[in-house]
Amino acid sequence: MNVDAAVAAVAAIAGLCTGVFAMLAFRWSERDQAKPTRTSLHTDAVLPPGVDTVLSVLRSSAVVLDEADSVVKASSAAYALGLVRGGKLAVEPMMQMARDTRRDGEIRQVELDLPRRGTGRGEALAVSARVAPLGSRLVLLLVEDLTEARRIEAVRRDFVANVSHELKTPVGALSLLSEAVMDASDDPEAVTRFAGRMQNEATRLTSLVQELIDLSRVQNDDPLEDAEPVRVDELVAEAVDRCRQQAGAKQITMAAGGAADLSVWGNRGQLAAALGNLVENAVNYSPARTRVGIAARRVAAPGGDLIELSVTDQGIGISEKDRDRIFERFYRVDPARSRATGGTGLGLAIVKHVAASHGGEVTVWSAEGQGSTFTLRLPEAGAVRERERPADLSAEGLDDEDRPYETFNDPLPAHPAPEVLP
């Protein structure tokens, strides 16, 4: 009997000990689970509620740093700019700004020029960085790309400087010539000579102002608001008529072909001005007794057929270093020659803007001493392909002075065909 009681007592004590150990183990497990882990320190417990959503809608590149200078959160734009690499902020000046802000809590802002990575170009990336404290332990870095804004500002500044210079030249010449006329009032021959030069300068000034107005119009207006089908042969005839006097004075033959039954879609006035500028440049920069050709054709393109208008001359040509800049405003390959021909340096800039606003493009092939070929590509107006060809372009027996221009199949065979243009 005593033995059974002793066994029961031992079993009870063992059960009690097992229960106590189980309870202690359960509490220790809960305590370990309640301890914050390193991962949780950098996720749920780091960003205040709503900050993640706000950062995702910001236009600026956003980076959040913790007290160890590790990146807690970074937008895709920050990675695209190369600001974050391997979980760290890769720009040392920005890192130093973040440390200073974490130390004293002050907001800091600075503009920096960062090297472009992976582009192989020496151009700098202009950014504006702003650092502010986010809570007690975090720092927020906002970076805005200013490269495009600076480029536009530089273009605007150069444009204003060029306009001022171009306007000042004829205005100053008119002022000097008027003084010369007054001093030579008793010399009719000198007055006549100075008056002729004043007329030339006034014409230059008028042309410059008009082209500035045209450039402003093509940049600000939407040509497709008043778009209509425009026959290519009518555009060619208008461009040829515009340059007939200059071409006749230099005995330059203007020949055109391939424009029948082709139409483009756009603003008639702007398209006529663009093609007219190309033909006028070809005439002005061609030697006497040469030929200027205007060719039109339809080419297939993924987004729909295009109409190519190619203007070819046998002029001085364009060097390779100047070829990429000729469509810039006021840029002249030969400034002295441009002034002699009355050029303002805006004609090709207008052509470029008209082509772009109509969904097309303008390209150039040229070789020094061999001439140039400018090609204007525009979307075709398919609804007018079957229109009847004007009688004046197909009639036979017209006098030379009545025919708008000479027709041809291959006006300048020495030049490459339009399809081989770059």
Side-chain angles (χ1 to χ4, degrees), residues 273-321:
L275 184 60
N277 286 344
L278 292 180
V279 176
E280 186 175 17
N281 278 357
V283 171
N284 288 336
Y285 288 92
S286 293
R289 294 179 293 279
T290 56
R291 176 179 288 185
V292 171
I294 309 169
R297 67 169 186 167
R298 180 186 297 115
V299 295
D305 290 349
L306 298 176
I307 301 299
E308 282 190 350
L309 294 169
S310 299
V311 180
T312 306
D313 63 62
Q314 297 172 310
I316 60 176
I318 305 169
S319 64
E320 185 176 356
K321 67 181 181 65

Side-chain angles (χ1 to χ4, degrees), residues 128-204:
S128 174
R130 185 178 179 86
V131 181
L134 184 63
S136 59
R137 295 182 293 116
L138 303 180
V139 173
L140 173 62
L141 171 67
L142 296 177
V143 180
E144 184 176 359
D145 188 358
L146 303 178
T147 306
E148 184 65 16
R150 284 191 179 182
R151 188 192 67 82
I152 294 175
E153 180 61 29
V155 170
R156 183 183 296 110
R157 185 169 54 251
D158 292 342
F159 179 72
V160 172
N162 288 330
V163 169
S164 301
H165 174 74
E166 295 295 333
L167 290 175
K168 183 178 179 180
T169 301
V171 170
L174 286 173
S175 177
L176 293 175
L177 289 170
S178 63
E179 293 179 3
V181 169
M182 294 179 62
D183 294 339
S185 57
D186 56 346
D187 187 351
E189 184 178 349
V191 169
T192 302
R193 184 173 67 255
F194 290 141
R197 294 181 59 184
M198 290 177 65
Q199 187 175 11
N200 293 337
E201 294 297 333
T203 301
R204 276 190 59 197

Side-chain angles (χ1 to χ4, degrees), residues 178-248:
S178 63
E179 293 179 3
V181 169
M182 294 179 62
D183 294 339
S185 57
D186 56 346
D187 187 351
E189 184 178 349
V191 169
T192 302
R193 184 173 67 255
F194 290 141
R197 294 181 59 184
M198 290 177 65
Q199 187 175 11
N200 293 337
E201 294 297 333
T203 301
R204 276 190 59 197
L205 183 60
T206 302
S207 300
L208 176 59
V209 173
Q210 184 59 50
E211 291 202 345
L212 286 172
I213 295 173
D214 293 341
L215 181 60
S216 176
R217 182 179 296 114
V218 300
Q219 285 181 315
N220 298 326
D221 294 348
D222 183 4
L224 301 183
E225 289 184 357
D226 301 323
E228 60 178 337
V230 182
R231 293 186 64 91
V232 173
D233 47 20
E234 295 177 357
L235 292 178
V236 172
E238 187 172 340
V240 171
D241 186 66
R242 168 179 169 177
C243 305
R244 188 182 302 278
Q245 183 177 357
Q246 299 97 307

Side-chain angles (χ1 to χ4, degrees), residues 289-365:
R289 294 179 293 279
T290 56
R291 176 179 288 185
V292 171
I294 309 169
R297 67 169 186 167
R298 180 186 297 115
V299 295
D305 290 349
L306 298 176
I307 301 299
E308 282 190 350
L309 294 169
S310 299
V311 180
T312 306
D313 63 62
Q314 297 172 310
I316 60 176
I318 305 169
S319 64
E320 185 176 356
K321 67 181 181 65
D322 294 320
R323 213 170 296 155
D324 294 334
R325 300 193 59 191
I326 57 175
F327 294 103
E328 296 179 10
R329 305 166 190 169
F330 296 109
Y331 185 80
R332 297 184 177 93
V333 175
D334 186 353
R337 187 178 181 91
S338 295
R339 295 186 185 280
T341 59
T344 62
L346 291 174
L348 291 180
I350 294 175
V351 175
K352 178 181 178 181
H353 282 286
V354 170
S357 62
H358 283 75
E361 63 174 351
V362 58
T363 58
V364 60
W365 174 94

Side-chain angles (χ1 to χ4, degrees), residues 80-82 85 114-123 125:
L81 289 178
R85 292 189 184 88
L114 307 179
R116 292 181 181 268
R117 299 182 182 273
T119 60
R121 296 181 298 178
E123 300 176 2
L125 188 69

